[in-house]
Amino acid sequence: MAEPIFARVALVGAGLIGSSLARAARDFGAARAVAILDASPDVMARVRDLGIADEASGDPAAALKGADLVIICTPVGVCGAVAEQLAAYLEPGALLSDVGSVKESVVAQVAPHVPPGVHFIPAHPIAGTEFSGPDAGFSTLFQNRWCILTPPGDADPAAVDRLARFWTRIGARVETMSPEHHDRVLALTSHLPHLIAYNIVGTADDFGEDTRSEVIKFSASGFRDFTRIAASDPTMWRDIFLSNREAVLEMLGRFNEDLSVLQRMIRRGDGQGLHDFFSRTRAIRRSIIEQGQDTAAPDFGRRK
Ligand SMILES: NC(=O)C1=CN([C@@H]2O[C@H](COP(=O)(O)OP(=O)(O)OC[C@H]3O[C@@H](n4cnc5c(N)ncnc54)[C@H](O)[C@@H]3O)[C@@H](O)[C@H]2O)C=CC1
Ligand SMILES: O=C(O)C(=O)Cc1ccc(O)cc1
């Protein structure tokens, strides 16, 4: 196997993403050693049982000792507090990164705590499932998925390249963009769809008991897909919506306008309008599949 890219990766937060990174770094030889640090004693105990880290004592100094890559894998709302707690233990020249689903807010929270000589390069793998916790992770989660890096303008190109090689080694395709652009794109492609899923499942749940059981019994694939998304972690998604408020509200405004157009077509019996609209959206689906990015493949979200 090719040389590891980092001597030691320390993963802070060992849920779905942190534990997947631990497994992937080992299975694909991206780091020589893996350390895990999680605020929850239960999670730390589970990490030890699973045997997915070389260092899992729960002590920040021990976890970060010799780590040339440290990745914050906690919900985005606590990234700043985590960075503040880690700052004193970061090795000079280390690369600090994260996996948060929102980037501007993470940069604002973390950057003030980054010691001089430490390279901070935020990242976001567009890969996940509705499951959370250390048991949910698997090493192939990042295969053929995008990982977006949002390096600051003055980032060391060698550090950016090294982080990109790490993600490529564990199977991801890497792209670089600004945090602002990332947050607008993801507001539309990930955050708004999750909000819609939470809302439609909530709407179904608001019906009386009879209707609710019928919804479950006859749930066709459209509704079932929404229930999968709406089963995603409440803490993680609360933090995403609060951290990407402006972009999500903008996309929600556009969404509501477009929904009103569809509503009017139905009310007016405008079959041609509906058919034209649905033909346009069907073409988008086809182009996603042609680009090999059908994340709704039948085995998506299952452990491999
Ligand atoms: N779940 C998904 O599908 C994806 C999640 N992300 C991002 O990855 C991050 C982690 O998400 P998951 O792994 O799904 O979450 P998770 O809920 O499975 O795991 C989060 C872990 O962080 C730990 N934690 C919380 N506060 C902490 C602190 N102060 N110090 C140390 N550990 C702490 C928790 O105990 C938990 O074990 C989030 O920022 C999320 O936005 C990114 C891509 C996909
Ligand atoms: O489970 C799904 O369908 C997802 O969309 C997973 C996901 C959740 C959050 C992210 O920031 C990226 C990917």
Side-chain angles (χ1 to χ4, degrees):
M1 203 182 278
E3 268 291 287
I5 292 147
F6 289 93
R8 176 161 161 143
V9 58
L11 303 159
V12 183
L16 171 74
I17 301 297
S19 76
S20 293
L21 278 172
R23 291 167 168 106
R26 208 178 247 180
D27 286 4
F28 298 102
R32 204 163 276 125
V34 173
I36 285 184
L37 181 67
D38 197 287
S40 155
D42 289 347
V43 171
M44 286 311 302
R46 193 66 196 129
V47 165
R48 286 189 285 271
D49 286 348
L50 290 167
I52 54 174
D54 303 286
E55 208 297 317
S57 64
D59 170 27
L64 267 59
K65 182 137 189 65
D68 44 0
L69 174 61
V70 178
I71 308 181
I72 302 174
C73 306
T74 65
V76 289
V78 296
C79 282
V82 169
E84 187 174 16
Q85 185 211 353
L86 299 181
Y89 308 106
L90 288 165
E91 300 271 4
L95 206 161
L96 176 65
S97 189
D98 77 304
V99 291
S101 306
V102 179
K103 296 276 57 101
E104 264 199 292
S105 147
V106 168
V107 171
Q109 291 179 63
V110 173
H113 304 293
V114 180
V118 169
H119 305 278
F120 175 44
I121 300 160
H124 176 205
I126 316 295
T129 73
E130 69 279 25
F131 301 112
S132 44
D135 286 279
F138 53 98
S139 70
T140 53
L141 176 63
F142 309 106
Q143 294 292 307
N144 292 321
R145 304 286 170 201
W146 286 109
C147 180
I148 299 174
L149 307 186
T150 65
D154 60 354
D156 176 2
V160 178
D161 179 62
R162 202 170 168 210
L163 185 64
R165 282 188 287 122
F166 174 84
W167 280 102
T168 307
R169 178 70 69 86
I170 62 174
R173 293 186 273 178
V174 175
E175 182 124 339
T176 299
M177 62 180 69
S178 72
E180 299 77 14
H181 187 64
H182 168 279
D183 288 357
R184 279 175 57 82
V185 171
L186 270 291
L188 181 63
T189 59
S190 176
H191 307 168
L192 186 60
H194 275 79
L195 194 69
I196 293 165
Y198 280 123
N199 188 56
I200 194 167
V201 176
T203 302
D205 191 50
D206 284 343
F207 280 101
E209 188 52 50
D210 286 356
T211 313
R212 200 156 48 220
S213 60
E214 300 239 280
V215 164
I216 293 164
K217 188 167 161 192
F218 301 119
S219 103
S221 70
F223 187 75
R224 283 184 75 89
D225 290 349
F226 282 122
T227 61
R228 184 188 76 75
I229 300 274
S232 300
D233 189 73
T235 304
M236 168 180 153
W237 282 97
R238 176 202 63 195
D239 284 7
I240 290 172
F241 290 117
L242 296 182
S243 306
N244 199 21
R245 196 169 58 168
E246 300 308 324
V248 169
L249 289 177
E250 185 200 326
M251 297 308 164
L252 193 56
R254 288 172 181 238
F255 175 83
N256 282 330
E257 280 177 28
D258 293 342
L259 194 60
S260 303
V261 171
L262 286 173
Q263 195 174 4
R264 196 168 56 234
M265 285 179 192
I266 294 170
R267 186 162 33 79
R268 290 181 176 172
D270 181 1
Q272 187 63 49
L274 289 170
H275 193 273
D276 290 349
F277 196 101
F278 300 155
S279 301
R280 187 156 61 91
T281 56
R282 176 182 250 189
I284 291 172
R285 169 72 180 172
R286 287 189 174 146
S287 68
I288 290 173
I289 292 175
E290 273 160 24
Q291 285 176 36
Q293 287 200 58
D294 178 16
T295 53
D299 67 346
F300 180 64
R302 306 235 174 90
R303 268 179 262 163
K304 307 213 171 57

